[in-house]
């Protein structure tokens, strides 16, 4: 797999250079002029805000913020799959929800709530489902069309929703209520600052792992895959395998998020595996900005925050506003809100030290 | 024997409903390469228009006649204003039409709330066949579906409009060079697909009642049917819809309904995986 790095890099450079966008060229120029990178600043600010949040927020808002962080972790998994590998996983909730159901059953039927057992269990459930579905949809003799994968994942999630609704063992329409809290020895994780910092810590670790992954040789190949799959395949990369791997990683993170969600909310219900939550995560990532990781987090915070804020007065029209916003983003800002501050060059990323040296030598 | 006949009729009428809903979806997907996620909402609008006519004291059938025209006009406007910008990328088109559908669905939900609103059948009663009775309205749905299918086929294969549509599908650049206004053809095709969805909504609302998620309920089934049938021809999606509609209506008579639901989807996806071109190979997207 580790071959012709420079060729791939040039291919990506060429593709990025192909379509200069007015606004992006501008922000890139601004960046170049200041000689500073924007991404670490944005990430730092978000982390800072997240760290101090419980001190400034009221208790019930800390509980809400915990939920947002869990959803951000879930959004991260979708961004990895869609933003970096160009796989439209329209059924990402399948991994989120099945892990949630899995840990709920562990807690209900086997009385297992130990954090060191349930979180890995949820993660493994997510991974297993992602391997099965991803392997089926993405691998094979013929490369799958992007529409097929989108509809295949959507259908998978929809079928899981129907199954959960109709299966008495899984609680049917009502799902599984009052799941016992997650435990560590005799300590019980209930809603509040401790659970908040636990999820924040998990999000930061997952974020750093994803960041490392997408800035590695693997991520370089993924970026190439997203920009021009045929060219990457032509260089000898097994594009399908790369896709299946990143799909599995995405499913793993979604599984982790799903198990945290189940314990935080204390119940799971069919929507959690279905189309509703699947499309919700697409909204977060598109809105914030796909292919940036931090965009997924920002999108989740903004959409969930605004819908929480509006939920009392404008509950009915909020989904309409959301649809209009989404349409506007797709039409005018396909790279999401983050593209107002982040240039195309930095979004794709620069890989390795060599590139910088070559640039400096050239200029 | 009588039971078997009633079952067969039920299955057939459900299959006809799916065909009716998928027809427009399939025409848009095949001719334009767009999987229209707002199609379910066009069905919903057709149903809603029929309900409005009924609730304002007009004859129900007046609403049913108006629905395809109004929804078709809306489709034409939306194509010109928004959908047109999505042609370059199928995924963007999917997301864009999803957003459109969300706006329409939630607007309708705002208007009708979470209720199930009922519209009576314009022609009620049942047809007596000796010992068994079948619903007249369901029988009429089957007949209209067959008529609409025939009309679509003739429109696309025998008229000059159909010729232009097919030429645009085969080779847009060449069609443009031959003096066909391809943007107009795209607009008309999309409007036609939307009108079919509007008609479907109008016809099925007495059977399923009106609720905000009426359209989305059939949407995924519709996509799967289009993929199973094969994109790029007229007959493909219809065949796919026939198969999917019949299977999802027939299986619950044999196995548990929940298992049947899931099984239909699993079988369909597996089928598409191993035969990507679908039942009837067309041009593909």
């Amino acid at each position: 797999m580790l071959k012709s790095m420079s060729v791939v890099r040039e291919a990506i450079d060429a593709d990025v250079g192909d379509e200069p966008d007015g606004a992006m060229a501008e922000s890139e120029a601004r960046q170049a002029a200041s000689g500073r990178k924007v991404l670490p600043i944005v990430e730092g600010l978000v982390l800072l805000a997240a760290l101090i949040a419980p001190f400034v927020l009221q208790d019930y808002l800390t509980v809400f913020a915990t939920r947002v962080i869990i959803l951000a972790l879930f959004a991260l998994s979708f961004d990895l799959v869609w933003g970096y590998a160009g796989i439209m996983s329209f059924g990402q909730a399948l991994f989120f929800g099945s892990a949630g159901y899995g840990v709920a059953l562990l807690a209900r039927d086997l009385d297992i709530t130990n954090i060191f057992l349930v979180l890995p269990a949820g993660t493994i459930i997510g991974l297993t489902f992602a391997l099965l579905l991803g392997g089926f949809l993405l691998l094979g003799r013929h490369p799958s069309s992007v529409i097929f994968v989108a509809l295949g994942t959507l259908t998978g999630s929809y079928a899981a929703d129907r199954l959960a609704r109709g299966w008495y063992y899984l609680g049917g329409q009502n799902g599984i209520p009052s799941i016992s809290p997650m435990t560590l020895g005799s300590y019980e994780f209930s809603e509040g600052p401790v659970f908040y910092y636990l999820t924040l810590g998990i999000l930061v670790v997952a974020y750093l792992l994803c960041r490392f992954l997408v800035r590695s040789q693997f991520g370089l190949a993924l970026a190439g895959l997203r920009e021009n799959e045929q060219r990457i395949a032509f260089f000898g990369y097994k594009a399908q395998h790369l896709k299946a791997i990143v799909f599995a990683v995405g499913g793993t993170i979604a599984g982790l998020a799903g198990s945290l969600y189940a314990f935080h909310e204390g119940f799971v219900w069919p929507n959690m595996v279905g189309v509703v939550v699947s499309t919700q995560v697409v909204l977060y990532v598109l809105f914030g900005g796909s292919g940036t990781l931090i965009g997924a987090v920002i999108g989740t915070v903004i959409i969930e925050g605004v819908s929480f804020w509006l939920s009392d007065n404008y509950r009915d029209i909020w989904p309409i506003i959301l649809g209009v916003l989404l349409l506007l983003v797709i039409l005018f800002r396909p790279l999401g809100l983050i593209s107002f501050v982040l240039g195309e060059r930095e979004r794709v990323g620069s890989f390795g030290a060599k590139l910088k040296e070559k640039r400096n030598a050239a200029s | 024997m009588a039971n078997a006949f009633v079952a067969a009729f039920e299955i057939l009428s459900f299959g006809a409903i799916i065909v009716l809903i998928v027809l427009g979806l399939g025409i848009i997907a095949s001719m334009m390469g767009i999987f229209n996620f707002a199609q379910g909402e066009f069905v919903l609008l057709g149903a809603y228009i029929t309900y409005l006519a009924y609730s304002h004291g007009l004859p129900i059938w007046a609403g049913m006649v108006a629905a395809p025209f109004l929804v078709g006009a809306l489709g034409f406007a939306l194509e010109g204003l928004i959908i047109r910008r999505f042609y370059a990328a199928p995924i963007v088109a999917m997301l864009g039409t999803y957003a459109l559908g969300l706006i329409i669905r939630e607007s309708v939900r705002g208007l009708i709330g979470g209720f199930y609103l009922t519209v009576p059948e314009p022609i009620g009663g049942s047809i007596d066949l000796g010992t068994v009775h079948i619903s007249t309205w369901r029988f009429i749905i089957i007949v209209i579906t067959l008529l609409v299918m025939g009309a679509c086929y003739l429109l696309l294969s025998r008229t000059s409009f159909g010729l232009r549509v097919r030429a645009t599908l085969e080779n847009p650049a060449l069609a443009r060079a031959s003096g066909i206004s391809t943007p107009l053809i795209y607009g008309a095709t999309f409007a036609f697909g939307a009108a079919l969805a509007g008609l479907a909504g109008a016809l099925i609302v007495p059977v399923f009642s009106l609720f905000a998620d009426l359209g989305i309920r059939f949407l995924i089934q519709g996509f799967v049917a289009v993929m199973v049938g094969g994109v790029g021809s007229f007959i493909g999606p219809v065949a796919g819809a026939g198969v999917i509609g019949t299977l999802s209506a027939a299986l619950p008579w044999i196995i548990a309904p929940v298992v049947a639901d899931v099984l239909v989807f699993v079988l369909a996806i597996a089928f598409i995986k191993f035969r990507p071109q679908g039942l009837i190979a067309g041009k593909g997207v």
Side-chain angles (χ1 to χ4, degrees), chain A residues 82 88 90 136-137 139 144 146-148 150-152 154-155 158-159 162-163 166 275 279 282 286 319-320 323-324 326-327 330-331, chain B residues 35 37 82 85-86 90-92 94-96 98-100 102-103 106-107 217 220 223-224 227 258 261-262 265 269-270 272-274:
Chain A
W82 161 240
M88 180 40 87
F90 228 134
F136 179 72
L137 293 177
L139 300 179
S144 309
V146 58
I147 285 282
F148 170 69
L151 292 182
L154 181 66
T155 310
Y158 181 69
R162 297 294 286 264
L163 195 65
V275 179
T279 44
V282 177
L286 279 181
I320 306 174
V324 173
L326 181 64
L327 198 60
I330 294 167
L331 283 172
Chain B
F35 278 78
F37 268 65
I82 296 170
R85 300 156 182 257
F86 298 146
I91 287 290
V92 176
M94 230 168 86
L95 296 169
Y98 170 79
L100 261 183
L102 184 71
I103 296 168
E106 295 304 331
S107 305
R217 175 184 162 163
I220 295 175
F223 283 134
V224 170
M227 297 286 283
V258 175
D261 265 351
V262 175
F265 288 121
I269 292 296
I272 303 164
K273 170 77 185 175
F274 296 111

Side-chain angles (χ1 to χ4, degrees), chain B residues 4-281:
Chain B
F5 184 78
V6 171
F9 177 75
E10 284 273 311
I11 290 165
L12 201 62
S13 68
F14 191 75
I17 286 168
I18 299 289
V19 169
L20 203 55
I21 286 169
V22 168
L23 212 52
L25 197 66
I27 285 174
I28 293 173
S30 296
M31 303 296 161
M32 311 166 73
I34 283 192
F35 278 78
N36 178 24
F37 268 65
Q39 192 78 3
E41 277 62 41
F42 291 158
V43 173
L44 172 68
L45 282 178
Y48 186 54
I49 290 167
T50 309
Y51 170 80
L52 280 183
Y54 166 70
S55 63
H56 285 75
L58 294 168
I60 299 168
W61 58 263
M64 288 181 174
V65 172
F69 290 101
L70 292 177
V71 177
L74 177 73
F76 191 77
L78 286 179
E79 196 278 342
L81 289 173
I82 296 170
I83 314 271
R84 183 157 293 179
R85 300 156 182 257
F86 298 146
Y87 290 157
I91 287 290
V92 176
M94 230 168 86
L95 296 169
T97 51
Y98 170 79
L100 261 183
L102 184 71
I103 296 168
I104 300 176
R105 183 170 70 246
E106 295 304 331
S107 305
V108 173
R109 200 194 304 277
L111 291 167
I112 65 174
F115 302 109
Y116 279 65
L117 304 173
T118 51
V119 175
E121 298 161 348
I123 303 165
S126 58
I127 303 172
D128 297 336
L129 297 164
T131 53
V132 296
H133 310 277
I134 56 175
S135 146
T136 313
W137 185 246
R138 290 196 167 222
F139 180 74
I140 291 174
I141 289 182
I142 296 176
V143 173
I144 294 180
T145 303
L146 290 174
L147 288 177
V148 168
M149 268 167 60
C152 287
Y153 179 75
L154 290 178
L155 181 72
L156 288 174
S157 68
R158 293 281 185 274
T159 65
S160 72
F161 171 72
L163 185 67
R164 281 156 209 263
V165 170
R166 281 180 290 134
T168 308
L169 164 72
E170 281 299 327
N171 190 332
L174 197 58
R176 214 163 22 249
S178 325
I180 296 171
S181 166
T182 47
L184 193 65
I185 290 292
Y186 280 133
T189 310
F190 194 82
F192 185 60
L196 285 174
L199 177 67
L203 292 176
I204 65 170
V205 67
V207 180
F208 291 101
S209 306
L210 174 66
F211 55 104
D213 290 330
L214 174 70
I216 215 163
R217 175 184 162 163
F218 292 102
L219 188 70
I220 295 175
Q221 233 158 357
F223 283 134
V224 170
V226 170
M227 297 286 283
V228 164
V231 178
S233 66
F234 166 69
I235 208 76
V238 175
V243 171
I244 293 295
T246 313
L247 265 184
S248 31
L251 276 177
W253 294 78
I254 309 165
I255 48 177
V258 175
V259 185
D261 265 351
V262 175
L263 190 64
V264 172
F265 288 121
V266 172
L267 285 177
I269 292 296
F271 178 81
I272 303 164
K273 170 77 185 175
F274 296 111
R275 197 178 152 80
Q277 69 273 40
L279 279 171
I280 290 151

Side-chain angles (χ1 to χ4, degrees), chain A residues 5-304:
Chain A
M5 189 161 173
S6 61
V7 190
V8 180
R9 188 184 298 137
E10 272 157 33
I12 296 168
D13 283 357
D15 268 354
V16 171
D18 276 349
E19 303 152 54
D21 182 276
M24 274 162 211
E26 186 192 308
S27 69
E28 214 167 304
R30 218 184 306 135
Q31 249 171 267
S34 65
R36 211 179 304 141
K37 282 183 173 286
V38 179
L39 194 59
I41 302 174
V42 176
E43 287 168 332
L45 287 176
V46 171
L47 180 63
L48 192 67
L51 280 175
I52 58 169
F55 294 103
V56 294
L57 294 176
Q58 286 155 293
D59 285 352
Y60 77 101
L61 285 174
T62 304
V63 173
F64 167 71
T66 315
R67 184 183 312 141
V68 172
I69 288 184
I70 297 172
L71 290 172
L73 183 65
F74 178 39
L76 194 68
S77 81
F78 175 75
D79 192 24
L80 197 62
V81 172
W82 161 240
Y84 285 91
I87 306 166
M88 180 40 87
S89 172
F90 228 134
Q92 195 72 3
L94 176 59
F95 316 121
F96 179 75
S98 55
Y101 266 98
V103 294
L105 289 176
L106 280 182
R108 186 189 71 179
D109 295 346
L110 300 173
D111 222 10
I112 297 175
T113 52
N114 187 311
I115 185 169
F116 292 117
L117 291 175
V118 289
L119 290 188
T123 311
I124 289 167
I125 294 170
L127 172 66
T128 314
F129 276 81
L131 279 177
L132 289 174
L133 189 67
F136 179 72
L137 293 177
L138 296 163
L139 300 179
R141 254 188 314 152
H142 308 291
S144 309
S145 77
V146 58
I147 285 282
F148 170 69
V149 177
L151 292 182
T153 47
L154 181 66
T155 310
S157 163
Y158 181 69
D161 183 325
R162 297 294 286 264
L163 195 65
R165 270 177 214 288
W167 195 355
Y168 179 71
Y169 176 65
L170 297 181
Q173 290 280 3
N174 302 323
I176 301 173
S178 42
I179 303 167
S180 358
M182 198 157 58
T183 54
L184 178 61
S186 59
Y187 182 79
E188 289 188 347
F189 288 91
S190 53
E191 295 175 336
V194 176
F195 208 127
Y196 178 87
Y197 282 111
L198 172 75
T199 52
L200 182 62
I202 291 175
L203 176 66
V204 169
V205 171
Y207 185 91
L208 291 176
L209 281 176
C210 287
R211 204 176 192 285
F212 170 76
L213 192 68
V214 299
R215 290 284 177 263
S216 68
Q217 170 72 36
F218 179 73
L220 176 63
L222 283 184
L225 197 66
R226 180 187 59 192
E227 302 294 332
N228 191 332
E229 182 172 344
Q230 275 172 329
R231 208 179 289 175
I232 287 297
F234 184 70
F235 290 140
Y237 283 89
K238 294 201 182 307
Q240 285 173 295
H241 292 190
L242 292 178
K243 282 184 168 187
I245 291 170
V246 75
F247 193 79
V249 176
T252 311
I253 297 172
L256 179 60
S259 33
L260 278 171
Y261 195 80
F263 282 111
H264 185 254
E265 300 301 303
F267 69 104
V268 289
W269 76 115
N271 270 8
M272 212 177 142
V273 285
V275 179
V276 178
V277 174
S278 288
T279 44
Q280 208 171 313
V281 75
V282 177
L283 294 180
Y284 298 151
V285 172
L286 279 181
F287 195 71
S290 63
T292 58
L293 297 182
I294 196 71
V297 177
I298 293 173
T300 313
V301 172
I302 293 179
I303 290 191
E304 281 301 312

